[in-house]
Amino acid sequence: MTEASWISNIADSGALRRISECLGYESNRPVRVLVIDDDRCIQCILADYFERHNMSVVSAFQRKDAMRQIAASEPNMVILDIQLGDADGFTLLREIRSQSDVPVILTSGHPHEEMDRVAGLELGADDCVVKPFGLRELVARTRAVLRRREIGGVLVQREVEQGRCRFGDWQVDRRKRRLTDLTGTPVALTKGEYALLVAFLDAPLRPLTREYLVQATRIHEDQFDRSIDVRILRLRRKIEIDPREPRIILTEHGIGYLFALSVELI
């Protein structure tokens, strides 16, 4: 399907009306969506559809407009087209991530869309959709990302309340966000390393995919490394006796990683 025919199909007002009758936004709180796309037709279609589902939409066509809108309107969600007229969408994503933790869903019509999705997720996008996408799917993905963020806020609060836990020769005080060894000596962790450790402590002895770890660490940290494997290596250097032969964080080939120790609350 060409992009022109896709736009024509999703613009059908009857289809929009029928779908909107089946979907109701789940929250009474207003949601502000910033759509960044240099195609005015797509802008109008997305704005119409999101507003039918009680989400207000602001638009940006260029990089400067986008950064100004993020600062001024403080959106709850950004829909960002990778192929902008005046800028590479990935470059703009990096700029957004340097200033804001707002959730971002990328849209792409590139023939190498899988490479785009992987690159976008590694740069800090929360989700990716490939054109031609369904409007219903885009709204569903938007809601799912917003729910994850809301759950993440609850998890961070629970983390403060949970107290201490022990694994192997290590102890973590979640109230103080501190890792100590057997002697009580603290080990310095970056935000990313601590977020990764918490993700493992919450799911010990279970294989975790790279995608899961990326999402879980995004709850806790402000900035994102490009590769989850880099974060794993850094954490191993802190807690493994020999990072080259890990015994705590094991690689599950074809899946991701497994935290091989049980976790005891103390």
Side-chain angles (χ1 to χ4, degrees):
M1 181 185 295
T2 66
E3 182 164 313
S5 61
W6 166 63
I7 291 174
S8 176
N9 286 342
I10 66 174
D12 178 76
S13 59
L16 288 176
R17 190 177 302 109
R18 288 191 296 273
I19 295 173
S20 64
E21 289 172 354
C22 299
L23 290 173
Y25 189 57
E26 300 166 350
S27 171
N28 292 324
R29 291 172 295 179
V31 172
R32 298 176 302 281
V33 179
L34 170 60
V35 178
I36 307 172
D37 197 305
D38 59 359
D39 188 313
R40 293 182 181 274
C41 183
I42 292 177
Q43 285 272 13
C44 291
I45 292 170
L46 295 184
D48 178 71
Y49 193 78
F50 273 98
E51 287 171 359
R52 287 171 181 263
H53 292 84
N54 302 320
M55 303 185 202
S56 64
V57 174
V58 292
S59 300
F61 302 95
Q62 297 179 335
R63 184 189 64 80
K64 290 183 179 179
D65 295 334
M67 298 311 297
R68 183 169 59 251
Q69 289 285 8
I70 288 174
S73 62
E74 297 183 351
N76 304 109
M77 171 65 65
V78 172
I79 309 295
L80 169 61
D81 185 30
I82 292 175
Q83 295 156 309
L84 294 176
D86 71 331
D88 173 13
F90 292 130
T91 301
L92 180 54
L93 176 60
R94 291 189 188 95
E95 190 171 355
I96 292 172
R97 278 287 165 260
S98 70
Q99 301 182 31
S100 173
D101 192 31
V102 60
V104 176
I105 295 179
L106 295 178
T107 64
S108 171
H110 195 278
H112 302 296
E113 61 268 9
E114 182 177 356
M115 295 175 59
D116 286 345
R117 290 198 300 272
V118 172
L121 290 171
E122 290 183 342
L123 288 172
D126 294 83
D127 201 353
C128 296
V129 293
V130 179
K131 297 176 181 177
F133 54 79
L135 293 175
R136 182 174 183 174
E137 178 187 1
L138 183 59
V139 168
R141 286 177 178 269
T142 297
R143 290 173 176 167
V145 170
L146 291 172
R147 282 196 298 269
R148 287 200 299 268
R149 287 301 182 98
E150 186 171 355
I151 291 170
V154 174
L155 291 177
V156 170
Q157 180 60 34
R158 286 181 182 173
E159 177 186 315
V160 174
E161 299 170 353
Q162 278 178 341
R164 296 179 297 167
C165 64
R166 180 187 298 122
F167 63 94
D169 296 335
W170 301 96
Q171 181 174 299
V172 173
D173 188 330
R174 293 197 174 196
R175 292 190 182 93
K176 298 180 179 178
R177 299 173 65 91
R178 185 172 68 173
L179 172 68
T180 56
D181 62 17
L182 274 178
T183 66
T185 303
V187 176
L189 296 177
T190 66
K191 285 185 178 181
E193 291 162 359
Y194 178 79
L196 184 58
L197 178 59
V198 167
F200 281 124
L201 296 179
D202 286 340
L205 306 175
R206 286 171 44 195
L208 302 176
T209 65
R210 286 175 171 82
E211 182 179 3
Y212 172 88
L213 291 171
V214 168
Q215 294 294 338
T217 53
R218 197 164 292 156
I219 289 171
H220 297 269
E221 62 178 324
D222 299 324
Q223 301 296 329
F224 315 109
D225 296 319
R226 290 193 61 180
S227 170
I228 193 68
D229 301 300
V230 172
R231 289 182 250 176
I232 293 287
L233 177 59
R234 291 172 180 169
L235 183 58
R236 279 174 171 166
R237 289 171 178 169
K238 301 287 181 70
I239 66 175
E240 298 278 6
I241 296 175
D242 185 354
R244 294 169 297 181
E245 297 183 6
R247 296 177 178 272
I248 300 176
I249 302 175
L250 306 183
T251 300
E252 291 286 305
H253 295 288
I255 301 176
Y257 296 94
L258 179 142
F259 194 78
L261 298 180
S262 59
V263 178
E264 176 189 1
L265 297 178
I266 56 176

